[in-house]
């Protein structure tokens, strides 16, 4: 989130700022804990923030009431499926729900001809919300789940869990873990069965940290990552251009997983404040969809969108992570695609694309 927000900050400031003022970023760590999240947010509020990006996991339940009381917009970055029908007017989620990601993973695997799957996820709450959508969608499509294994992060060996998965004889393994856990898991799989079973992972498995952990050649040969894809590519190209300027040493590996979502969150919130000519949360919340949703002139960078706004032109910001079109629950949807990492550079190449209509038809 920090990396994506920093790229957005440069894009915004290079174009003149928000309502003519430079954007200030303040960051705090929730520790993925409700109590720590409340403490972190209260500290941030003393610095006069008027918008929040995050958090990603269940600490949203602790910080949301505070944000509501202060009428501060929150761009929630988590996939929590319980938020699919949320009604908080100050909460917007520009990253798709895990229910959509899970459907896309299952649809991709079934389309590839896999019919017997294993689920291998770590115990993190954000990862666990993906398990049910993958499970239910794969079964609806006609597949079977041979085994579901949850691993605890930070272990030095997962040989027993790996053997359980292998003994179930799956055609495909659905997965999400953090990078250090993945490094151990893939090493153990290589030791036991030579990584003969393909893996289908989430957007997290496409991050440069994850790919480096399991190595680019292994990722290229054995892992497909599924995540939202941009409709046109123009916004993503703009995002990568600024990213490469800021982080030249990471150009080959690319941005960290989910950085594009945070980038879009900051850009869209800034554009809503520009449109409202205000940072008042109630006013800006009412104007969010006026800069992100159809109809309007599609624009792909903060600078071009701001120019259109100044010309009193209705805009439709198209993000680096896909179309930022909020529904009545302030959630987004969009196409998903399967990606494969280059064996030498780790750069992801887009493959099979699943449209919103196909995902809707596959959803249980």
């Amino acid at each position: 989130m920090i990396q994506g927000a920093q790229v957005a900050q440069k894009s915004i400031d290079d174009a003149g700022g928000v309502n003519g003022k430079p954007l200030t970023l303040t960051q705090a760590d929730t520790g993925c804990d409700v109590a720590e999240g409340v403490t972190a947010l209260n500290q941030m509020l003393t610095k006069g923030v008027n918008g929040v990006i995050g958090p990603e996991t269940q600490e949203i339940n602790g910080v949301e009431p505070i944000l509501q009381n202060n009428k501060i917009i929150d761009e929630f970055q988590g996939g929590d499926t319980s938020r699919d029908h949320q009604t908080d007017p100050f909460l917007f989620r520009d990253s798709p729900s895990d229910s959509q990601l899970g459907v896309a993973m299952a649809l991709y695997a079934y389309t590839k001809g896999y019919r017997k799957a294993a689920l291998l996820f770590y115990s993190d709450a954000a990862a666990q919300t993906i398990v049910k959508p993958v499970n239910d969608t794969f079964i609806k499509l006609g597949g079977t789940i041979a085994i579901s294994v949850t691993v605890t992060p930070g272990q030095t060996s997962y040989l027993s869990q790996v053997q359980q998965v292998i003994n179930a004889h799956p055609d495909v393994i659905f997965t999400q873990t953090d990078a250090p856990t993945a490094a151990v898991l893939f090493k153990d799989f290589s030791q036991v069965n030579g990584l003969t079973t393909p893996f289908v992972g989430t957007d997290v498995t496409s991050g440069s940290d994850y790919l480096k952990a399991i190595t680019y050649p292994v990722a290229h040969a054995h892992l497909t990552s599924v995540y939202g894809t941009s409709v046109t590519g123009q916004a993503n190209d703009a995002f990568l251009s600024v990213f490469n300027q800021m982080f030249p040493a990471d150009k080959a590996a690319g941005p960290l997983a989910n950085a594009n979502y945070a980038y879009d969150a900051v850009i869209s919130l800034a554009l809503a404040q520009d449109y409202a000519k205000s940072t008042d949360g109630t006013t800006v919340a009412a104007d969010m969809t006026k800069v992100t949703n159809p109809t309007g002139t599609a624009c792909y960078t903060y600078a071009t969108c701001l120019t259109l706004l100044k010309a009193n032109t209705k805009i439709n910001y198209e993000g680096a992570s896909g179309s930022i079109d909020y529904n009545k629950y302030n959630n987004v949807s969009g196409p998903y695609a399967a990606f494969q990492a280059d064996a030498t550079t780790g750069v992801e190449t887009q493959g099979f694309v699943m449209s919103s209509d196909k995902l809707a038809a596959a959803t249980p």
Side-chain angles (χ1 to χ4, degrees):
M1 284 193 294
I2 294 169
Q3 187 185 77
Q6 289 171 336
V7 176
Q9 180 186 33
K10 178 171 173 55
S11 302
I12 290 167
D13 287 348
D14 285 352
V18 184
N19 287 319
K21 298 179 180 179
L23 175 65
T24 300
L25 292 181
T26 298
Q27 67 189 57
D29 187 359
T30 68
C32 296
D33 178 81
V34 173
E36 288 186 43
V38 169
T39 299
L41 177 59
N42 284 329
Q43 290 174 348
M44 290 179 67
L45 293 181
T46 64
K47 301 177 182 179
V49 299
N50 51 55
V52 172
I53 312 301
E56 291 187 335
T57 56
Q58 297 304 312
E59 69 271 31
I60 182 63
N61 296 318
V63 304
E64 183 181 24
I66 301 172
L67 292 167
Q68 283 182 316
N69 289 338
N70 286 274
K71 296 180 171 55
I72 294 175
I73 291 179
D74 177 45
E75 296 252 21
F76 178 48
Q77 298 287 288
D80 184 1
T81 57
S82 70
R83 297 286 168 163
D84 288 359
H85 300 94
Q86 70 92 31
T87 57
D88 180 353
F90 297 101
L91 189 147
F92 293 80
R93 178 164 61 174
D94 71 312
S95 55
S97 167
D98 284 343
S99 60
Q100 296 180 51
L101 174 56
V103 169
M105 292 169 66
L107 177 59
Y108 168 76
Y110 194 84
T111 303
K112 290 289 290 184
Y114 305 130
R115 295 295 182 267
K116 186 178 181 182
L119 301 173
L120 181 59
F121 288 77
Y122 75 144
S123 54
D124 175 77
Q128 285 298 308
T129 62
I130 305 174
V131 173
K132 180 174 172 53
V134 173
N135 180 93
D136 293 355
T137 304
F138 198 66
I139 291 173
K140 176 189 174 180
L141 293 171
T144 60
I145 302 298
I147 191 171
S148 180
V149 176
T150 300
V151 297
T152 303
Q155 306 301 304
T156 57
S157 173
Y158 296 100
L159 283 173
S160 62
Q161 294 96 329
V162 165
Q163 194 63 61
Q164 290 176 46
V165 172
I166 292 171
N167 290 345
H169 304 291
D171 301 325
V172 64
I173 301 169
F174 295 112
T175 191
Q176 177 176 308
T177 70
D178 61 358
T181 302
V184 179
L185 277 169
F186 274 78
K187 180 181 178 181
D188 289 347
F189 270 104
S190 180
Q191 178 180 332
V192 176
N193 78 338
L195 290 168
T196 55
T197 308
F199 289 77
V200 173
T202 68
D203 49 352
V204 170
T205 68
S206 72
S208 59
D209 53 343
Y210 191 100
L211 298 176
K212 288 177 182 176
I214 67 173
T215 76
Y216 297 156
V218 167
H220 173 78
H222 304 287
L223 172 67
T224 299
S225 298
V226 176
Y227 51 92
T229 181
S230 176
V231 176
T232 65
Q234 293 183 51
N236 188 57
D237 289 345
F239 167 60
L240 290 177
S241 177
V242 181
F243 170 83
N244 291 337
Q245 293 176 43
M246 296 182 68
F247 306 99
D250 298 322
K251 183 175 180 179
L256 295 169
N258 301 327
N260 56 347
Y261 291 125
Y263 168 86
D264 285 337
V266 176
I267 296 279
S268 58
L269 180 53
L271 288 171
Q273 291 183 350
D274 287 321
Y275 180 91
K277 297 181 174 59
S278 172
T279 58
D280 174 74
T282 302
T283 304
V284 175
D287 289 337
M288 282 289 290
T289 59
K290 296 177 183 177
V291 299
T292 58
N293 287 27
T295 56
T297 300
C299 52
Y300 307 94
T301 68
Y302 180 78
T304 55
C305 291
L306 183 60
T307 298
L308 290 168
L309 282 179
K310 289 180 176 178
N312 295 318
T313 301
K314 170 69 173 68
I315 66 169
N316 174 19
Y317 173 62
E318 298 287 299
S321 61
S323 295
I324 313 298
D325 297 340
Y326 293 107
N327 63 17
K328 64 180 180 179
Y329 304 109
N330 293 348
N331 283 300
V332 301
S333 60
Y336 280 75
F339 292 80
Q340 186 177 43
D342 183 90
T344 303
T345 65
V347 173
E348 298 262 83
T349 300
Q350 179 175 299
F352 183 73
V353 177
M354 293 155 281
S355 67
S356 298
D357 292 342
K358 289 182 179 178
L359 291 171
T363 301

